[in-house]
Amino acid sequence: MDFMDEKIFKPTVSVIVPLKPGMEYVSVINSIKKVDCPSNKIKVIIVKGRKPSLQRNLGVGKDQGEIIYFFDNDCGFDKNIFRKVVEHYVNPDVVAGVSFCKKRMLQ
């Protein structure tokens, strides 16, 4: 799947990251910058708080891409993550939930 190919469905992706107060989000942003996806197709939403479930729900309320991707601040993105995720959504009649976690970045 080539995000640059005009004939292929290229959804927008909202990446929602719950973040505890005082936690750094620079590693998340740096990881996302390495992903093979046009920057105009990704919107990162950082929601600070102490309740990750609530934070994710608040993030969904702020903006919705065609794909909503929940991401924890201690994980790293694989370069091809959105290519892999989008492959599950090419057929608009299919509803899918996909989860990938390359590795934990923080100990």
Side-chain angles (χ1 to χ4, degrees):
M1 170 137 336
D2 183 359
F3 274 100
M4 305 314 278
D5 186 341
E6 293 298 321
K7 298 175 191 156
I8 295 175
F9 171 62
K10 295 178 291 268
T12 56
V13 180
S14 292
V15 179
I16 299 172
V17 184
L19 196 67
K20 291 179 184 176
M23 293 289 295
E24 178 105 15
Y25 60 86
V26 174
S27 61
V28 173
I29 301 300
N30 288 338
S31 184
I32 293 170
K33 286 180 181 179
K34 297 176 185 176
V35 173
D36 180 24
C37 184
S39 61
N40 67 334
K41 293 291 182 179
I42 299 175
K43 180 167 184 179
V44 179
I45 301 165
I46 306 284
V47 185
K48 293 184 180 180
R50 298 191 185 278
K51 299 180 180 179
S53 296
L54 176 62
Q55 292 165 251
R56 289 181 186 104
N57 290 338
L58 291 171
V60 168
K62 289 184 178 187
D63 183 67
Q64 287 189 2
E66 292 160 300
I67 293 176
I68 298 171
Y69 193 90
F70 297 110
F71 186 75
D72 290 331
N73 69 307
D74 61 348
C75 288
F77 274 109
D78 179 271
K79 179 182 179 213
N80 297 309
I81 188 68
F82 294 126
R83 179 182 311 268
K84 293 174 186 176
V85 170
V86 167
E87 287 174 1
H88 295 277
Y89 292 89
V90 174
N91 181 344
D93 296 327
V94 173
V95 175
V98 182
S99 176
F100 297 97
C101 186
K102 181 180 177 186
K103 63 181 177 180
R104 295 280 177 189
M105 290 174 22
L106 304 174
Q107 297 297 326

